[in-house]
Amino acid sequence: MIKKTILATLAVCTLGVCRPLWAVDIENASSGAVVPGEWNTSFTATKAYAEQNNMPLLVLWSSPGCGYCNKMKTACNTQTFVNWRKEKKIVLLISEGDLSSKPFAVNDSLKFPYMRLYWPAGNVDVKFTGRSGKIPASGSTLEAQLINYLDSLLVNWSPSGEYIVDGGASSPIPTPSTPVIGDEWNRARKIYGTAKTSDGRVSGRLIVSTGRVNAGKGTAKVKVQLLTLAGKTKTLGTKYFTVDRTTSGSVSSGAGGAAIEITGSSVVGSVTYNGSTYDVSSQVPGGSLNDGTLYFMLDSSIASWQGKTVIGPDEFLPLRQAFTTKNSRWTFPKKGSLRYNKGSDSYVMSSMENPSGLKLKYSSATGYVKGSFTIFAHDGTSASIRRFTANVYGFMVEGMGDGIVSIKNTTVAGFRIGD
């Protein structure tokens, strides 16, 4: 019987529909008509229903295989939360890795699961991470924390479709004007964000160029570009978006694509470039830096390169190299020089202030960091010192740096910059 079960499981996996054994589903989620108080899987339908009826929409965006997402879904399956949602009768969306809803749900922390309580008619629009201790509310269980937080945001909501005024008489929720377009759409502008990997590493600077809204059509031209770690600006697509209080849409091109949401002067979402997908946070790379000392830090040492042994990786590599910043201009100590002393059979470095000769340039306008340092190696003969140039590419975001180190277009390490 056990063998049959295993074979059956392997057969299903072979068909491409195998799911992680630890996956958790939201119970009784529907893909049909939207019913307040019941989970639905359609982003388009739930958002439209909530906006048309001036109702709160709770979004739970889950990444496949995410343990924290499974914990939140388990909490939402408890009888405590089931009773709460049926009583509150708000609109509920469960999204399992759906890229179309990801820009709507993603938050600046980029930590799963993404959650958002969206209720424009009640002046409530909050994004948060659905993890115990990350939800800003007390409670001995995850479902208690979630319920307490949502209740604090829904004090003016009534399942009857009315909202409470001053704790007394209730009035119908006013229908907001449609669309609600901010003054910022009356001019062409640029909006910036940061593209990050799933583990939070910076991979690029998002540039969203928007045109002036056509008042008659309610649309504006939007161009999405990505400044990559290689220092190249790639256009991900151009399209006319329908403009509203939150403006969302997607673009695509030969270079990749993007699904974004613009609110005011911030942008979130996701981008695809060179076969990889990155999350977009509203953090803006660049800007002026405080004067003082910063440190360049390799994520890991480099022991060898192309079969050659790196000389003094813990001594001569910039594992923690200090430099000074003044008016956002960076100054590094004098480069060291390495030689082999045959008599002592040892390597001698002329200066340990900056043995690798690390040198970087920073653009406060874009946040881009570029530079290089030297890696010393030998091929088995101590006296034969080989020198390789390691190139540094990255970005500064909110005073902290992040990026990659590569030799001959091969990434060999990551780095961070901080104080």
Side-chain angles (χ1 to χ4, degrees):
M1 183 64 183
I2 294 176
K3 289 182 178 180
K4 290 182 178 180
T5 302
I6 293 174
L7 290 173
T9 302
L10 290 174
V12 174
C13 293
T14 303
L15 293 174
V17 294
C18 183
R19 302 185 61 215
L21 295 177
W22 59 87
V24 174
D25 290 320
I26 287 286
E27 295 175 357
N28 302 317
S30 170
S31 59
V34 177
V35 178
E38 303 292 337
W39 290 100
N40 195 283
T41 61
S42 173
F43 171 55
T44 303
T46 53
K47 186 171 183 288
Y49 187 98
E51 290 177 337
Q52 291 168 8
N53 295 280
N54 299 311
M55 297 178 67
L57 167 64
L58 176 64
V59 178
L60 168 53
W61 196 94
S62 170
S63 176
C66 165
Y68 289 106
C69 301
N70 289 335
K71 289 180 180 179
M72 175 52 73
K73 287 183 284 186
T74 298
C76 291
N77 285 336
T78 62
Q79 194 59 50
T80 299
F81 188 83
V82 170
N83 292 341
W84 180 89
R85 65 173 170 81
K86 288 185 175 181
E87 178 184 348
K88 285 294 181 180
K89 294 191 184 317
I90 64 174
V91 182
L92 299 161
L93 168 67
I94 172 62
S95 184
E96 295 286 355
D98 177 20
L99 294 181
S100 67
S101 61
K102 189 174 184 180
F104 186 79
V106 67
N107 56 58
D108 280 345
S109 75
L110 300 179
K111 295 183 183 298
F112 302 136
Y114 301 145
M115 301 195 74
R116 179 173 182 175
L117 184 63
Y118 174 71
W119 185 28
N123 295 315
V124 174
D125 191 0
V126 178
K127 296 179 178 181
F128 59 99
T129 298
R131 299 186 185 183
S132 181
K134 297 293 184 181
I135 299 174
S138 60
S140 59
T141 63
L142 182 55
E143 58 267 26
Q145 293 176 32
L146 178 61
I147 289 172
N148 290 339
Y149 185 48
L150 295 176
D151 279 342
S152 71
L153 299 171
L154 295 171
V155 290
N156 291 331
W157 166 249
S158 169
S160 65
E162 299 181 333
Y163 70 100
I164 302 170
V165 180
D166 297 329
S170 59
S171 305
I173 296 175
T175 302
S177 57
T178 304
V180 178
I181 301 174
D183 293 338
E184 66 270 13
W185 287 98
N186 292 330
R187 57 182 176 81
R189 59 194 173 121
K190 290 184 183 294
I191 306 170
Y192 304 98
T194 300
K196 297 183 178 182
T197 62
S198 58
D199 59 354
R201 300 304 299 259
V202 176
S203 297
R205 178 179 188 253
L206 195 72
I207 308 162
V208 180
S209 304
T210 70
R212 184 175 179 178
V213 65
N214 182 318
K217 296 182 179 179
T219 60
K221 190 176 183 179
V222 176
K223 180 169 71 172
V224 182
Q225 296 175 298
L226 182 70
L227 175 60
T228 68
L229 284 171
K232 305 294 184 181
T233 300
K234 300 293 184 179
T235 298
L236 302 179
T238 303
K239 193 175 180 180
Y240 280 89
F241 285 18
T242 299
V243 177
D244 207 330
R245 59 165 56 85
T246 54
T247 299
S248 59
S250 59
V251 297
S252 62
S253 70
I260 61 171
E261 179 182 279
I262 302 169
T263 304
S265 58
S266 67
V267 59
V268 296
S270 63
V271 298
T272 302
Y273 171 71
N274 209 19
S276 298
T277 299
Y278 305 97
D279 291 324
V280 175
S281 86
S282 59
Q283 295 171 307
V284 179
S288 60
L289 304 174
N290 293 329
D291 293 349
T293 301
L294 289 176
Y295 293 89
F296 174 94
M297 296 163 283
L298 285 178
D299 286 349
S300 60
S301 185
I302 304 170
S304 64
W305 167 249
Q306 290 188 336
K308 297 175 176 60
T309 301
V310 172
I311 300 171
D314 296 332
E315 300 173 89
F316 307 144
L317 291 179
L319 299 180
R320 184 175 171 82
Q321 177 63 56
F323 63 94
T324 59
T325 175
K326 186 173 183 180
N327 296 326
S328 296
R329 296 188 65 179
W330 293 356
T331 303
F332 292 79
K334 184 179 178 180
K335 178 181 180 180
S337 176
L338 185 70
R339 66 181 178 86
Y340 174 70
N341 186 314
K342 185 176 181 180
S344 62
D345 188 27
S346 63
Y347 296 101
V348 179
M349 177 63 69
S350 63
S351 172
M352 291 300 292
E353 286 189 280
N354 186 10
S356 70
L358 177 68
K359 190 172 183 179
L360 306 173
K361 289 185 178 180
Y362 168 63
S363 169
S364 59
T366 64
Y368 192 57
V369 175
K370 184 178 180 181
S372 65
F373 62 88
T374 300
I375 292 179
F376 305 97
H378 67 77
D379 55 8
T381 304
S382 298
S384 61
I385 301 176
R386 297 288 305 276
R387 293 168 174 81
F388 297 95
T389 299
N391 295 298
V392 176
Y393 309 103
F395 291 90
M396 294 291 288
V397 181
E398 297 183 351
M400 303 295 288
D402 195 358
I404 62 170
V405 175
S406 70
I407 306 175
K408 296 182 179 180
N409 298 319
T410 299
T411 299
V412 294
F415 76 85
R416 297 188 187 273
I417 295 175
D419 50 22

